[in-house]
Amino acid sequence: MAKPFASSADTAPKKETLEVLADGVYALTAEGDPNVGAIEGEDFLVAFEARATPAAARDWLAKLREHTDKPVKYLVLTHYHAVRVLGASAFEAEHIITSNVTKQLIEERGQQDWDSEFGRMPRLFKNPEEIPGLTWPTETFATEHRIELGGDRGAIELKFCGRGHTAGDIVAWHDKSKTLFAGDLVEAEAALYTGDAFHFDWSTTTLDNVKAFRAENLIGGRGAIAKGTAATDAAIEQTRDFLKGMIEHVGNAHKNGGTLKDAFLATHKALSPKFGMWPIFEHCLPFDVQRLWDEFDGIDWPRIWTMERDREVWAQLQD
């Protein structure tokens, strides 16, 4: 019997948990659904990630409003994927900030990614008819950007740590609370989506740069919040282990003249004992293996995922 496509059969609601990690530092997790967060400035908020639709974003903002009524001045988007950005209009933010490369990716493949992710994860797209269109940044930067929070609240440092989950991922560091919003560069007890990734950079220098912050609170793209440097290190190394496992088993199949399906089966067998019960493992792995196979074929810049390509790869590997 064929497996349901991607997360199309994942219709059960997830329990959302809002945690206050320090004074004015908030993070919302949802049992493996995309994480979001915010940090208070003196008289404004900096929000991180936007969810897939304005309606979904308003649900998050309603929880945040139980703690603060400050307006969202800055909306920081760590990367371009639809489930992270298309709810941006709900924030009414004065500034929407991404890396330069993320803006380039939105221009190049934003609509295709929207169509693709809507098909893969329909539950996340609450009231999709409200999405006004692609989300565009109002400000971009190459490698570093600083947001002063005012008063005694410190500052947020936005930084590009290297190619990873996409070509343009950024992290957000709040030194005062030692909190790092890492986007999908790190997952804590959740599987990785690597369909637009740079596995070799990500698993080495990029994660090394993320680890160098020595965060005491780390909010990854999905999964639980890591608290304490031992836990944040563990989350980073779990992410690295997933990537290294993929590189080993896809690489062996590629080197030994195997097929893409051989690579998928070997990788699934190797990774599933540790990662298989975690959120979106079965959904992600076919797309992950295809992208890494492309890298072994010498395709540096990820091919664009369309609804049609999604289904073709799924049928080849999962059905």
Side-chain angles (χ1 to χ4, degrees), residues 67-273:
H67 297 268
T68 175
D69 61 0
K70 295 176 183 178
V72 178
K73 185 174 182 179
Y74 300 93
L75 175 61
V76 175
L77 304 175
T78 62
H79 60 287
Y80 81 97
H81 285 139
V83 295
R84 305 293 185 180
V85 306
L86 291 179
S89 62
F91 294 82
E92 299 180 340
E94 184 179 340
H95 307 279
I96 300 175
I97 304 176
T98 73
S99 69
N100 293 346
V101 177
T102 289
K103 183 180 180 183
Q104 175 188 342
L105 289 165
I106 294 169
E107 293 168 346
E108 179 188 66
R109 61 185 67 197
Q111 185 62 54
Q112 295 96 320
D113 182 73
W114 178 353
D115 296 340
S116 168
E117 295 211 338
F118 182 77
R120 293 184 189 182
M121 295 174 279
R123 181 178 51 78
L124 299 182
F125 285 81
K126 181 180 181 180
N127 300 352
E129 69 281 357
E130 294 184 10
I131 301 170
L134 292 174
T135 297
W136 295 100
T138 63
E139 298 180 30
T140 67
F141 65 94
T143 57
E144 295 183 359
H145 184 80
R146 184 177 176 92
I147 300 173
E148 296 289 347
L149 296 176
D152 63 352
R153 292 190 173 273
I156 294 170
E157 301 283 351
L158 306 180
K159 188 170 182 180
F160 173 71
C161 292
R163 303 191 304 180
H165 174 70
T166 72
D169 302 89
I170 58 173
V171 301
W173 170 243
H174 184 228
D175 187 69
K176 183 174 182 181
S177 64
K178 305 299 182 187
T179 297
L180 186 70
F181 285 88
D184 281 316
L185 286 174
V186 179
E187 312 288 10
E189 298 184 5
L192 273 63
Y193 175 64
T194 70
D196 298 301
F198 297 82
H199 293 76
F200 304 105
D201 292 3
W202 187 2
S203 63
T204 54
T205 56
T206 299
L207 283 180
D208 290 345
N209 289 335
V210 173
K211 196 172 185 179
F213 283 99
R214 310 309 296 148
E216 295 175 13
N217 300 299
L218 189 151
I219 302 93
R222 295 174 184 261
I225 298 165
K227 300 172 184 176
T229 52
T232 63
D233 283 353
I236 292 165
E237 292 308 320
Q238 169 227 295
T239 301
R240 197 190 311 265
D241 287 348
F242 191 105
L243 294 166
K244 292 288 192 181
M246 285 188 60
I247 289 169
E248 176 185 354
H249 296 286
V250 175
N252 285 341
H254 192 275
K255 178 179 65 178
N256 294 326
T259 65
L260 180 67
K261 184 70 173 281
D262 294 332
F264 172 74
L265 293 173
T267 305
H268 188 281
K269 181 179 179 180
L271 268 57
S272 59

Side-chain angles (χ1 to χ4, degrees), residues 3 6 191 264 268 272 276 278-287 314 318:
K3 292 180 181 177
F264 172 74
H268 188 281
S272 59
W278 289 356
I280 69 171
F281 177 81
E282 298 291 346
H283 166 167
C284 292
L285 199 64
F287 309 118
W314 187 269
Q318 277 282 50

Side-chain angles (χ1 to χ4, degrees), residues 279-302:
I280 69 171
F281 177 81
E282 298 291 346
H283 166 167
C284 292
L285 199 64
F287 309 118
D288 295 354
V289 169
Q290 175 66 75
R291 168 54 189 155
L292 181 52
W293 187 270
D294 285 353
E295 283 195 279
F296 278 112
D297 275 345
I299 300 172
D300 180 67
W301 194 251

Side-chain angles (χ1 to χ4, degrees), residues 35-39 46-50 60 74-76 156 158 172 181:
N35 295 335
V36 291
I39 293 179
V46 181
F48 305 98
E49 317 291 29
W60 146 232
Y74 300 93
L75 175 61
V76 175
I156 294 170
L158 306 180
F181 285 88

